[in-house]
Amino acid sequence: MNNHIFIIGMMGSGKSTIAPLLSDKLKIPYIDIDQDLEEILNCNIVDIFKQHSEERFRILESRYFLEHIKNSSTIYSTGGGIVLDKQNRNALKKIGLTVFLKASIQTLYNRINNDTKKRPLLKNKLLLEKLLNQRIQYYIDCADLVVDTDKQNPKKIVNYIINKFNNEN
Ligand code: S3P
């Protein structure tokens, strides 16, 4: 039985910072789904959106995710939109431990507003807020653990997750 840990949350919530730190501490390998997709397709996310479409990206993301979780225990840094697909949500709810990294719009925006070239859906703060409003319930529904990241540093967040995880096992 695998014991995955899924890190979910909006772009800028810190998923790709927290996943490798957790991986280091727990000695469980981690993957970054976006990075893997970029390598497999030999194309960055912006170009996948441009050359294909968001819809195509979602299909590839979901296909890769649902296939990969059949493997042994892994920590997943997911893309912010992973919760948009129902099958993905079902997997997040049923398997392993899902951690939602929560942050306010201002925090998210401050962390990523220079990354518009890497993030096709990041156009402005209003749009970011719209995306969060559309997704927040999905994030909460899928999460076993919600971590408020606004005022915490990565080390504290990782220790908090590990403590919770240990208490549940
Ligand atoms: C997306 C978030 C991105 C990436 C793609 C779509 C989203 O990942 O998957 O640009 O819909 O929120 P990050 O959350 O790692 O930025």
Side-chain angles (χ1 to χ4, degrees):
M1 174 76 181
N2 53 41
N3 221 349
H4 300 314
I5 300 179
F6 303 106
I7 313 292
I8 63 169
M10 287 288 285
M11 47 187 117
S13 58
K15 295 164 296 189
S16 37
T17 303
I18 299 302
L21 293 175
L22 257 186
S23 162
D24 228 39
K25 281 226 165 186
L26 294 174
K27 309 288 173 232
I28 300 173
Y30 86 95
I31 69 156
D32 184 311
I33 295 181
D34 282 348
Q35 261 176 29
D36 279 16
L37 285 176
E38 288 185 328
E39 270 168 38
I40 292 166
L41 299 167
N42 195 22
C43 188
N44 65 43
I45 301 282
V46 173
D47 288 335
I48 301 173
F49 270 65
K50 263 195 211 150
Q51 287 168 19
H52 303 277
S53 60
E54 178 177 348
E55 197 190 346
R56 181 81 188 132
F57 171 77
R58 299 291 172 211
I59 292 168
L60 296 171
E61 177 184 46
S62 182
R63 204 180 282 165
Y64 183 70
F65 175 65
L66 295 173
E67 199 49 44
H68 202 286
I69 58 176
K70 295 175 186 162
N71 297 333
S72 56
S73 299
T74 301
I75 296 172
Y76 289 86
S77 172
T78 61
I82 197 85
V83 293
L84 296 174
D85 179 277
K86 193 169 180 200
Q87 273 184 289
N88 296 349
R89 292 199 297 275
N90 285 340
L92 291 167
K93 284 181 202 167
K94 281 195 199 133
I95 307 166
L97 181 87
T98 299
V99 180
F100 168 34
L101 299 182
K102 194 169 167 245
S104 67
I105 280 294
Q106 193 56 51
T107 302
L108 295 171
Y109 193 67
N110 290 347
R111 287 181 188 155
I112 58 176
N113 71 1
N114 291 326
D115 286 353
T116 44
K117 287 205 175 79
K118 280 192 267 166
R119 292 185 157 100
L121 292 180
L122 177 63
K123 305 276 186 254
N124 55 50
K125 199 167 141 191
L126 257 183
L127 203 70
L128 193 66
E129 189 162 16
K130 195 173 154 204
L131 287 181
L132 177 62
N133 289 338
Q134 284 166 351
R135 296 172 180 179
I136 183 83
Q137 201 54 48
Y138 288 151
Y139 290 135
I140 290 171
D141 288 349
C142 292
D144 298 294
L145 181 63
V146 179
V147 186
D148 200 328
T149 68
D150 272 336
K151 291 187 186 97
Q152 293 203 67
N153 64 37
K155 208 174 153 196
K156 275 199 176 155
I157 294 170
V158 167
N159 288 337
Y160 181 77
I161 297 170
I162 291 174
N163 281 341
K164 288 277 178 187
F165 188 57
N166 284 339
N167 289 339
E168 280 185 17
N169 284 284

